[in-house]
Amino acid sequence: MGTSLLCPISQLPCIPLLYGRTAPNPIRVPDATVKSPQAHPKFGPILASSSYDGRVLIWRSTPTTSSSNSPSTFQKVFESTLHTASVNLLAWAPHECGCLLACASSDGCISVLEFQDGSWNHVVLKGAHGLGVNSVSWAPSARPGSLVSASPEKGALRRIVSGGSDCLVKIWDWNDWVRDVSWSPTILAKSYIASASQDKTVRIWTSSPTSDPSNPVEWKSTILNFDAVLWRVSWSLSGNVLAVSGGDNKVSLWKENLAGKWDCVKWIEE
C-alpha cells in the first residue's frame, strides 16, 4: 500500500510508491487537492485519489511505448461522485476480498467501490458518522484464529472499521449484498433484527437489557447458513417466528428456543 500524500496540485511532483517504486509521471487533477493515493497490490497498476470536492478517481498506469523500460502514464478509468463533501481517506481491501475501495467522507458517509465483471459498483453506508468520517481501515480477510486452526473456514471476510468526528469507532461487517432487512414487531424485553444476504446467510441480531447505565442494551448476532442466495426475511405478527425465502424457491420458518438458539420449524417448497 502506498504512502499518504497531502499537498496542493501545484506542488504534487509524483504519485508515491506503486509496487514499491515511484511512479514516473505526476497525476494532476484540475480544481482539486489530491489526498491519500493508494497503490493496489493485486489488480494491476491502479491508483486511487480523492479530493475536497467529494470526488474519488481511479487511475491505471499504461506504458507510452511497447518497450518495458519506457515511462508510464496514468489515465483516469473511473470517477465517483457519491459524496457531497471532502473525501478524507481511501483504503483498498485485502486482495482476497476482491477489488474493493473504501472511502471516508466529511459528509458522514462511507462508500465502498467494487470492480467486478468489467464495471464499478458501489455501496454507500449513509449516516455512518453524523459529524463526518475521518478514517477507515479494512480488517484481515481471514477469520481470527484461522492461521492455527486445523480446519479453517473458507471465504474472505469483508470488515471495515471507521472513526468519525462524533467520537465513535464503528465496525462494519458483511460478505456480500444485503438483500433484505426486517425488524421484529415484538415489544417484549428482547428486540430482533434479521437480514438476508447474497452470501447465503441470514443474520439475526438480538438485543437484551443490561444493568450498565452507559450501555443499557447489548446486541448479539446469530448466523444461519443456507444452500442458496437469499432474498427476503419477514417476521410474524407476534414477532417470534422468522420466514426466510431464497433463490431455490423455498421458504423456511425459524423460531428461537429456550436456550437462545434458532431452530428451523418448517420448510415450504414451491
Side-chain angles (χ1 to χ4, degrees):
M1 185 173 289
T3 58
S4 297
L5 178 67
L6 172 57
C7 65
I9 290 298
S10 60
Q11 301 177 16
L12 180 61
C14 64
I15 291 294
L17 293 184
L18 173 66
Y19 283 28
R21 58 182 176 83
T22 302
N25 296 317
I27 297 175
R28 303 186 185 278
V29 183
D31 304 322
T33 299
V34 177
K35 296 178 293 184
S36 303
Q38 305 285 337
H40 196 279
K42 178 181 178 180
F43 297 95
I46 298 176
L47 297 176
S49 65
S50 62
S51 61
Y52 286 131
D53 61 9
R55 292 184 299 160
V56 175
L57 305 177
I58 307 295
W59 308 82
R60 178 177 289 276
S61 173
T62 57
T64 55
T65 67
S66 58
S67 173
S68 59
N69 296 325
S70 64
S72 299
T73 60
F74 283 87
Q75 296 181 348
K76 183 175 68 175
V77 296
F78 180 75
E79 178 175 337
S80 169
T81 57
L82 297 170
H83 295 285
T84 59
S86 172
V87 177
N88 301 316
L89 194 78
L90 304 175
W92 289 105
H95 66 83
E96 297 90 350
C97 296
C99 190
L100 292 158
L101 178 70
C103 315
S105 174
S106 292
D107 64 6
C109 301
I110 299 171
S111 65
V112 180
L113 306 177
E114 179 176 15
F115 184 76
Q116 190 176 42
D117 299 328
S119 62
W120 288 90
N121 303 309
H122 68 267
V123 174
V124 178
L125 305 176
K126 296 183 178 180
H129 294 271
L131 300 178
V133 189
N134 300 322
S135 183
V136 64
S137 176
W138 291 86
S141 60
R143 298 178 185 273
S146 60
L147 186 63
V148 295
S149 174
S151 56
E153 296 185 43
K154 297 182 179 180
L157 296 179
R158 296 180 175 184
R159 298 170 296 170
I160 57 177
V161 60
S162 61
S165 299
D166 54 3
C167 305
L168 295 176
V169 173
K170 296 183 179 182
I171 297 174
W172 309 83
D173 183 2
W174 79 98
N175 288 336
D176 214 326
W177 290 8
V178 177
R179 294 287 186 178
D180 195 22
V181 63
S182 179
W183 198 308
S184 169
T186 182
I187 55 175
L188 299 177
K190 293 182 179 181
S191 292
Y192 304 96
I193 298 174
S195 67
S197 175
Q198 181 80 9
D199 66 2
K200 306 178 183 178
T201 64
V202 164
R203 295 192 179 213
I204 303 175
W205 285 268
T206 305
S207 75
S208 301
T210 70
S211 58
D212 184 0
S214 63
N215 185 30
V217 176
E218 181 182 24
W219 288 89
K220 295 182 179 180
S221 68
T222 299
I223 299 178
L224 307 179
N225 294 291
F226 291 78
D227 296 327
V229 297
L230 302 173
W231 298 106
R232 293 289 182 265
V233 283
S234 179
W235 293 97
S236 63
L237 293 178
S238 60
N240 64 338
V241 177
L242 177 68
V244 181
S245 64
D248 55 1
N249 296 323
K250 296 179 181 179
V251 176
S252 56
L253 302 180
W254 297 79
K255 190 172 183 179
E256 187 181 25
N257 61 30
L258 295 178
K261 306 296 183 180
W262 288 86
D263 298 326
C264 181
V265 295
K266 189 174 184 179
W267 280 93
I268 304 172
E269 296 189 31
E270 187 176 71

